[in-house]
Amino acid sequence: MASGEETFQAYLRRQGLKTTRQRTAIAREFLSSHRHITAEGLHRSVSRKNPAIGLVTVYRTLKLLAQAGVAKERRFGANESCYEPAAAGGHHDHMICKICGKIFEFENVKIEGLQDRVAAEHGFLIQDHKLELYGVCRGCRKVKPGARRRK
Amino acid sequence: MASGEETFQAYLRRQGLKTTRQRTAIAREFLSSHRHITAEGLHRSVSRKNPAIGLVTVYRTLKLLAQAGVAKERRFGANESCYEPAAAGGHHDHMICKICGKIFEFENVKIEGLQDRVAAEHGFLIQDHKLELYGVCRGCRKVKPGARRRK
DNA sequence: CTTGATGCAAATTATTTGCATTGTC
DNA sequence: GACAATGCAAATAATTTGCATCAAG
């Protein structure tokens, strides 16, 4: 069971790329910051301990992490890309609350099974998938904002 | 059964917005061009008959169409947003081929049922969802590019 | 005739690239 | 020591906004 960091290092070696101080720092920070983070956000985290690292390097390293299979790029409704560590323990999907913006994760094996079946019916080979449910989360449902103003 | 165009007009009136020549032209073109189109692409189409309409207006109108519920914004792996007419006849999802870039549509009621169940378990109210399968389509599977070069 | 809509150019945002310098292998 | 990696600034790409002018209600 290779840790994300090991997988990344192995990928670099395999590709004849170099293991640099900044790549290691970025990868480590990324892997320890569970759940979706933006390039900008990751750069902020990394900068705390390592102010000399540039945003550009974070972008480049995130791309490498994705290629290594350690990071997954996600793009929710927003304008900027999020990355998240590729969960060692299986794939998960997201529910995004349109009110508070919170993102909830879930896993459902049956849905994945059906996806496989649909793909098979079309002769399509699935490599990856994204399922996002947009709506209102439990917390925000309680609030009932406005509830249709009466004239 | 209101056509997309009628729905849009109604939305404009309801919001106290104006029905302009360009909005009508853009909406009509959009609705007749089935399946995902980018702002740029739609502008190209519209320009053919109506060269004076600016790209900016297309962007603004697409946003209105989305608010009116007539258009759905989608964002596949790519960098730019696609819009597609909100299918009058039910929701559909997408399979995107990573090789040739083609996008296939499919519909699966069982998956949607499971989504509802998962959401319910979390007290989440679904308003919309996106399911995208990324992989290799039938056509591209036949080609086998490279098939792991032997050293 | 009032107020929103358009179109242009300029601004923003997210991301990428050119290039001189630096650090790994 | 070679050659990839970094960081800066500048370049792109997609989209948005300010503003003077125009047109729908």
Side-chain angles (χ1 to χ4, degrees), chain B residues 30-43:
Chain B
F30 171 70
L31 290 164
S32 72
S33 89
H34 306 266
R35 296 158 55 93
H36 18 78
I37 191 167
T38 67
E40 198 92 34
L42 181 54
H43 179 238

Side-chain angles (χ1 to χ4, degrees), chain A residues 3-150:
Chain A
S3 74
E5 200 168 331
E6 284 163 0
T7 308
F8 183 49
Q9 304 280 338
Y11 174 80
L12 292 178
R13 244 173 287 122
R14 209 173 333 121
Q15 301 292 312
L17 301 176
K18 291 173 180 171
T19 302
T20 66
R21 192 174 45 76
Q22 25 272 78
R23 279 180 183 164
T24 306
I26 293 168
R28 193 162 298 169
E29 190 67 35
F30 171 71
L31 290 165
S32 73
S33 89
H34 305 267
R35 296 160 54 93
H36 17 81
I37 192 167
T38 67
E40 198 91 34
L42 181 55
H43 179 238
R44 218 172 306 123
S45 296
V46 168
S47 294
R48 220 165 288 142
K49 298 175 181 173
N50 222 322
I53 293 181
L55 174 58
V56 188
T57 304
V58 173
Y59 270 107
R60 287 192 271 229
T61 305
L62 275 173
K63 198 153 278 188
L64 287 175
L65 284 162
Q67 282 163 13
V70 175
K72 288 271 178 199
E73 189 180 356
R74 295 283 161 197
R75 197 162 226 163
F76 304 116
N79 21 358
E80 50 187 343
S81 290
C82 282
Y83 289 81
E84 63 183 17
H91 185 87
H92 65 259
D93 293 300
H94 300 93
M95 292 187 293
I96 299 106
C97 178
K98 282 180 167 177
I99 310 290
C100 65
K102 279 209 201 75
I103 298 174
F104 305 86
E105 297 176 355
F106 68 90
E107 229 185 299
N108 190 299
V109 184
K110 281 189 195 165
I111 291 181
E112 314 224 332
L114 285 172
Q115 286 173 11
D116 290 339
R117 194 187 307 174
V118 171
E121 282 166 11
H122 292 260
F124 191 89
L125 176 68
I126 297 186
Q127 293 177 336
D128 192 13
H129 76 262
K130 296 180 186 174
L131 171 58
E132 287 150 27
L133 308 180
Y134 295 86
V136 187
C137 74
R138 199 196 306 263
C140 292
R141 287 176 75 176
K142 289 182 187 156
V143 181
K144 294 253 180 185
R148 193 185 251 298
R149 76 223 132 112
R150 293 157 289 149

